[in-house]
Amino acid sequence: MKITTLLLIASIMQVSAISYAQKVTYSQKNITVEQLFREITKQTGYNVLYPDKEINTDRRIDVDFNDTFLDKVLTQVFKGLSISYKIENKNIIIKKEDPSFLERLAERWASIDVSGRVVDADGRGLPGASVSVKGKGGKAVSTGADGSFYLKGVDEDAMLVISFIGYVPKEVKAIKELGHVVLELSTSKLDEVQVIAYGTTTRRLSTSNISSIKADQIAAQPVSNPLLAMMGRVPGLQITQSTGIPGGSIKVRIQGQNSLQQGSEPFYVIDGVPYSSQTLFTNINGAVGGSQSALSFINPSDIESIDILKDADATAIYGSRAANGAILITTKKGKVGQTKIDLNIQNGFGKVTRKIGLMSTQQYIEMRLEALKNNNNTPVSSTDYDLNGAWDRNQNTDWQQELIGGTAHYTNIQTNLSGGNEQTQFLAGASYNRESTVFPGSYSDVKANVHVNINHTSSNQRFKFNLTNSYQQDLNKLPTIDLTGIALNLAPNSPYPFKPDGSVNWGIVNGVPTFTTNNPAAVLLQKFKGKTNNLISSSTISYEIFPGLQVKSNLGYNRLETQEVSTTPQTSFSPTLTRNNRKAKYGTNYVSSWIIEPQIAYNKDFSWGHLDALIGSTFQNSDNAVDAFDGSLFANDSQLENSRAAGTIVASTNTMQSKYRYSAIFGRLNYRFRDRYILNSAIRRDGSSRFGIENMFNTFYSVGGAWILSEEEYLKRSLSYINHLKLKVTYGTAGNDQINNYEFLSLYQSYTPNGVPYQSTVGLLPTKHSNPYLQWEVTKKLNFGLDLGVFNNRLLFSGNYAINRSSNQLTSYPLPVGTGFSGVLINLPATVQNTSWEFLLDASIVNHKAFSWQSSFNLTIPKNKLINYPDFENSAYYNTLIVGQSLGIKKLYQYAGVNPTTGYYEFNDHSGQKTSTVDPAIDKTQFVDFYPKFYGGLNNTLNFKNFSLDFLVQFVKQIGENYQFGSLLPGFANKNQPQSLLNRWHNISDISNVQQVTTSFDGFDPFNNVLESTAHYSDASFIRLKNLNLSYNLPPKLISKLHISKAKLFAQGQNLMTITNFVGLDPENQSTGSMPPLKIFSFGLQLTF
Amino acid sequence: MKTYYHILKRIVNRLCLIFLLGCVFSCKKFIEVEAPITSVNSGNVYKENSNAAAVLTGIFAKMSSNGFSSDLSLYPELSSDNLNALQFSDSELSYAYYKNAMSSTFEASFWNKNYEYIYYANAALEGLSQSTTLDPDVKKRLLGEAHFIRGICYFYLTNFYGKVPLLVSTDYKVNAKLSNSSTEIIYQQIIQDLLLSQQMLDDKYVDATIIKETPNRVRPNRSAATAMLARVYLFTKEYSKAEIEASKVINQSSRYSIVGIDNTFLKNNQETIWALQPVNLGKDTQEGYFFNYPSEGPNSNNYAYLSSDLLESFDSGDLRKIKWISDMTIDGVTFFYPTKYKVRDGNASDPKEQSIVLRLAEQYLIRAEARIQQENIEGGVSDLNVLRTRATDFSAPVSERLKLLSAITSKQEALLTVERERRAELFTELGDRWINLKRTGSIDVVMTKAAISKGIIWAPFKAIYPIPNTEIRLNINIIQNPGYQ
């Protein structure tokens, strides 16, 4: 045993100064033993030497010595403590006796055993809370399943520190029966719970790069898709809404595009159940096109929190599925307390955010006549209805106003019933949501939803059960086509498409219909109806075998099912069409999956640190099926939805069934020493049916470490205004498996050439090369992070720098046709790198009871780069990408204006020569990067008495496709064009940036080329007031008489204002064919009974 | 209550253990999924007779749909001195064949398509030979069909492209790096395939069940393999073997005979050895659709007309010229076009004609030449006269009838006669003229003469088509044919 000695400095200074008597006179109450030692030294000159680990000198005693001999003093002080002493050469050497069994037993009686129970404000036990004796090397235990603990051998009067993630730590004096120790929830953002894979953590203790969105932020936004609620709020997360039509697809990228050819969607998990992000494709398109966002079948008001997992430390445990990050959605759970009813009613309306300045009829006709003149003075023809008098040359209709200028209505009603006691809590909710469109006519998307959650804990708190069921039904009755494109192109003097009785106006002149192409009324007659049911059921069962060791299992089931029909009635065709052209498409599809994840979790406080360990396994099965068929030759329009009325029914080639199976073993180890040094490591071994027999299994791992510097004593002392300072670094791998099922298999498919089977038998032929080696794309992720909290954590900063390298890219590799097929899907060692700087600043600027102001700012600077692509010259990407550049680039001609003589666009070719005839293979010398340079958001929350104001400003810096050159070949046909065409080239020697209008085919090449040139791409950055929420809480006095505990009136807005230089409709979706995101205003009332 | 938890604890404990252990041992089994019901896993295809047979049926269907025989009857004939093409913008490729101006940048339909069939055949051979569950007779017959397909495809590949890579497996890793094989090695492979095929097939014509006999001659039987073998021996100058194989077919008089000139291309006639069933809705054979002009005359689909050289090569009174050729005059220009197949628009569900790939007449021509080469000139001439007899109009006055060949003494002259008879009998059928000009070595003489009327200059390298550039770019081991580098 090594003995450290403590030399009392005071004694050295007084050596031999006095003649020492070996008697002590000292009378004092509640002094420490150390104080007594000092006194002894002072009075006797003897040094007191002792091993400081063995002798508790902090012990407080009462002494009363009057000229007492030293040995008697010492005997009395150490009485009953099995401590011996000896006096040698003016040194008093104190040493612990090796205690005998009996003595040890006696010792036990001297100290006390503390028992108690740690609970939250609702009285529920907090399992896993840490109870430790204050001071160096103090004992520590974790609380059991019901929050109770038992700490043996604590010195009486010692202080206990009780702490638990997410709660304010508490110090209590040790007494035998502590009873309930109530921990208050921490209000600091640092202690907010973050949901991670198979567990939870906090911003304070996490080693990962995770961002969270909470229910109140979601509730502030009138959106029907939870993904939209995250826009502009999360660093490293880019969300783009591709259309303003309800249910439309939404592009989500966490830290950029990782995969060259396959999906880069994040991995979605709802209450532990993996959820597919896009619905199946049935070849039936509603207005939103082939793919709907499956997340639109999740009710945003059921969500408690959304956690975005970005780095390897957080995602490696999801293995092959989370290379593109993971989005964890946690739904609301019942809470202990009185039964309460929440009611939320909201009503609003929406409009398109922007319009394009188009030509008036006068300007339009001028352009059309000029186009004819420019083409060798072509006369106006009998089919130029816009010019030859068939259409009113004085009518001037703003088609954007007529077709997309309407008002969409938004209604949302949500009720929740919740409550429960300590053992059982429940929550039941129902909601109704209806959204319509800005198109003329009544088109809507209606959702009804039921959400039920039950939690049960056994009385001894060891058995726990949790069940959540969400069921949503969606009825989508939207048109089959988006009218936005038509609105931009219709000639301003086109006849009005609807007759007063609502039927189609075909513009019949002299018996000939003149308004047959793109007639909006005809298009709107083609109907779509989609019915979607979504059931998500999840459950967790757990049992604590002994304190700290828990066995549990997640169970989940999801079935997403859609029935669709789209109809094309005869009335949607020109009356001159005599052929029976009635058509209907029918389709059903479903994704049905279950998952079982048994786990064993162990967590315990040891004197050498806190340990959290988890091992588990996953079994997942998913079945998909699409059944689609087309009907034609119906006798009349009214029976189109009835497939039995079809003259012929043909199965669609999209009909398919597939199965996906997945299993894994995973483990995680989290070690925390003195809440200062944290080490986190995860590993997962994955097997997936998507991959080849030779490579079905793969292992993913991560290692992460964090150092909370602010807990170091020296920093605490020297920089006291720093409350929290953490450095972290994580590294690991995750995979991407977003390919179709069976890609590795050599599959044979039915082959019937052009309808006549050979020997009356359907043949079977191989469809592709099989690749039994097919495996995951792997992303290696390195993340550096710094968290800082200053001024009582009122200012919190979080910065991350991530480097993600995705390799093993699943790409189609070109093969000589002689091998049977022209390519095979392989893992190519091409590498895509995404780096991103992510910053988040949370400030609590004013924090008074009457007035508070909270602000949050986030910024992301991403960079994407194709680092390596073997045999690039022979790849399919040779003409579109450049090694060393972003995947978001587009190769372009260098625009050189309009040739003053010919009036056609010119470009600088590869040798720098101006020309109107370019070669796409060599003259595309320029490139632009579509991916944003940076993006972010600024959120402010102000509370003044009963008022609360919350607003979010989103910003994106990027380049996009503009609309300054118009569409088709301007002037060629009866299509309206943007106002920018007014500055066109008219005569020889005109200097202009817009070429002549013409009906000559010669105009097409330069026009098409200008759309592939640098001038067609320009700044599409924008700053947008994304969300505004103003609410007023009615004074309690006013409402208490009505038995209402809380009443809130609110007004919300989405996409309210946009600042941009973008030339086109909307800088976000940058499309001229699909509806821009809508500007939505809504008003509502929230009541709690 | 306590016991309840005790029991629960034990259950949970055990379940957990089972899951964890289970995962370790059964993960692999769990994640191995069967192919979807909407398609069939290659491993399962060859487990059942009907599925295995459907693969071979699928190959024939694909060959028919892709125009296996009509492509052969068109493009190489354009390259030869038999057929001319009118220039239409969308028939650029045909025009290049006609002008002997093939380039390595052109789409190489023979290359792509034949290698596609070879892949299917290789896949079938691999799958079938590994299968243990098929009916042995069915398995044997299907193997025979697959060998036959591979043999005939390589025969045309090497005749058009010379030295080509020899792919005999489906392993793309190996195949994507293979270099050209010599024509000798390719012929060895062809002969081996055809011998195996001959062994494995039987004399019956069967339907898609591979068991039931049918009058439909749209699946190859033993005679198809034998007939191909006879042709291949002729090409490898193994004349005695060629004669033996040809005789095997000719001697089956109950099954095969030379039919009347009007019936030669009708469905299931006695002269057919193997044909492809039309599969395209609204058509009979693609040959009929392509060669027969519509009433408006030539257009971008029907642009081929017979060369005057061919027309002049017929002896007078030859019914083959009278019955198998028609003419149409447009704007004062008369175009002659082949009408062996008479149905232009038809009905594939109930066709009158089928695309004949192998017919008995060729076997007589093969045997005639083989006999002459073995100095049996008399025997050769008598074989040729079988065909001339069919081409004779016995209702016409004797002076206007086609004359039978009289005794020829010179071998040289006899061989030239065979060449003329071949041309008269097999013009616009499966590229026969082009590949036989190359075989006999007369191509340079013939084409130099033909070049004048084509308005081009002939060069010997043009006898072999170029290998497509894209293939060489993706497989650097393939060597381009001389003249096209």
Side-chain angles (χ1 to χ4, degrees), chain A residues 458 463 545 551 598 657 661-663 687 689 742 746 748 753-754 756-759 761 763-764 816-819 821 874, chain B residues 5 12-13 19 27 30-31 34 36-40 42 46 54-55 119 167 206 208 218-219 277 279-280 471 473:
Chain A
S458 67
F463 174 73
I545 298 173
V551 291
Q657 289 188 15
R661 283 209 163 169
Y662 170 90
S663 81
S689 66
Y742 311 114
S746 163
Y748 281 62
N754 302 326
V756 183
Y758 203 86
Q759 290 194 318
T761 305
L764 269 178
V817 186
T819 62
F821 300 98
N874 286 326
Chain B
Y5 283 118
V12 173
N13 263 337
F19 273 134
C27 266
F30 178 77
I31 59 170
E34 286 290 297
I37 196 85
T38 42
S39 42
V40 190
S42 55
Y46 301 99
V55 177
Y119 176 85
L167 281 53
V206 292
V218 294
R219 291 190 97 95
Q277 176 206 313
V279 290
N280 294 335
E471 296 289 279
R473 214 183 66 211

Side-chain angles (χ1 to χ4, degrees), chain A residues 289-559:
Chain A
S291 61
Q292 266 185 296
S293 169
L295 271 296
S296 71
F297 304 118
I298 306 290
N299 179 15
S301 10
D302 286 343
I303 296 174
E304 180 67 40
S305 69
I306 304 177
D307 295 85
I308 298 96
L309 277 47
K310 292 175 265 186
D311 65 341
D313 189 54
T315 59
I317 197 158
Y318 281 133
S320 63
R321 302 167 294 177
N324 303 310
I327 293 183
L328 271 48
I329 296 177
T330 310
T331 60
K332 288 180 176 157
K333 306 278 184 289
K335 289 192 175 104
V336 176
Q338 282 204 324
T339 305
K340 65 170 185 174
I341 299 170
D342 287 299
L343 178 65
N344 192 324
I345 301 170
Q346 196 174 352
N347 217 321
F349 58 89
K351 301 284 258 180
V352 289
T353 49
R354 284 160 57 92
K355 286 181 187 166
I356 293 175
L358 297 176
M359 289 184 183
S360 68
T361 299
Q362 193 202 338
Q363 293 163 335
Y364 167 79
I365 289 189
E366 217 168 87
M367 169 191 74
R368 285 276 287 145
L369 292 172
E370 189 178 319
L372 288 170
K373 191 197 86 189
N374 285 347
N375 184 19
N376 295 324
N377 292 313
T378 314
V380 171
S381 83
S382 61
T383 53
D384 289 332
Y385 303 117
D386 52 336
L387 301 176
N388 64 15
W391 295 356
D392 184 353
R393 281 176 63 163
N394 295 316
Q395 182 195 314
N396 187 10
T397 312
D398 177 356
W399 291 113
Q400 291 183 88
Q401 181 56 36
E402 295 293 326
L403 300 179
I404 58 171
T407 303
H409 291 277
Y410 174 86
T411 308
N412 188 47
I413 302 169
Q414 169 86 33
T415 63
N416 274 342
L417 175 69
S418 67
N421 57 23
E422 232 182 274
Q423 271 186 269
T424 308
Q425 304 93 39
F426 72 96
L427 178 140
S431 76
Y432 168 87
N433 182 295
R434 183 178 184 275
E435 281 178 281
S436 64
T437 67
V438 295
F439 301 141
S442 58
Y443 299 95
S444 65
D445 185 25
V446 179
K447 295 179 169 121
N449 168 278
V450 185
H451 174 78
V452 179
N453 165 256
I454 301 168
N455 292 310
H456 174 74
T457 310
S458 67
S459 56
N460 69 357
Q461 306 272 342
R462 295 174 80 171
F463 174 73
K464 284 182 183 172
F465 172 72
N466 170 341
L467 176 72
T468 307
N469 270 313
S470 285
Y471 182 71
Q472 172 153 305
Q473 198 167 55
D474 174 283
L475 179 61
N476 179 332
K477 281 184 166 176
L478 296 171
T480 49
I481 193 168
D482 190 334
L483 294 182
T484 310
I486 296 178
L488 299 189
N489 277 328
L490 272 193
N493 68 339
S494 293
Y496 199 69
F498 301 97
K499 284 187 182 165
D501 64 355
S503 64
V504 184
N505 175 13
W506 294 102
I508 292 174
V509 177
N510 301 331
V512 179
T514 61
F515 194 13
T516 51
T517 44
N518 272 344
N519 186 320
V523 168
L524 288 177
L525 282 173
Q526 303 178 1
K527 303 268 196 241
F528 172 79
K529 193 160 93 182
K531 237 188 224 170
T532 305
N533 299 309
N534 190 17
L535 172 69
I536 303 177
S537 184
S538 68
S539 175
T540 311
I541 306 170
S542 70
Y543 185 77
E544 189 180 49
I545 298 173
F546 56 80
L549 185 75
Q550 214 180 28
V551 291
K552 62 176 177 180
S553 183
N554 295 344
L555 305 161
Y557 178 75
N558 173 225
R559 188 177 171 96

Side-chain angles (χ1 to χ4, degrees), chain A residues 34 55 86 119 201 223 292 340 350 386 405 424 568 622 625 649 735 814 820 908 910 931 947 959 987 996 1009:
Chain A
E34 190 180 331
I55 309 299
K86 69 183 169 191
V119 295
T201 182
V223 292
Q292 266 185 296
K340 65 170 185 174
D386 52 336
T424 308
T568 312
S622 184
I649 289 269
N908 291 327
H910 65 286
Y931 289 170
F947 287 95
I959 284 176
N987 296 302
Q996 59 165 307
N1009 289 337

Side-chain angles (χ1 to χ4, degrees), chain A residues 13 83 145 208 214 295 302 512 593 631 714 742 883 901 964 1004 1015:
Chain A
M13 293 172 72
I83 288 172
S208 316
K214 302 291 177 192
L295 271 296
D302 286 343
V512 179
S593 60
Y714 52 85
Y742 311 114
V883 174
T901 314
Q964 60 169 318
F1004 272 102

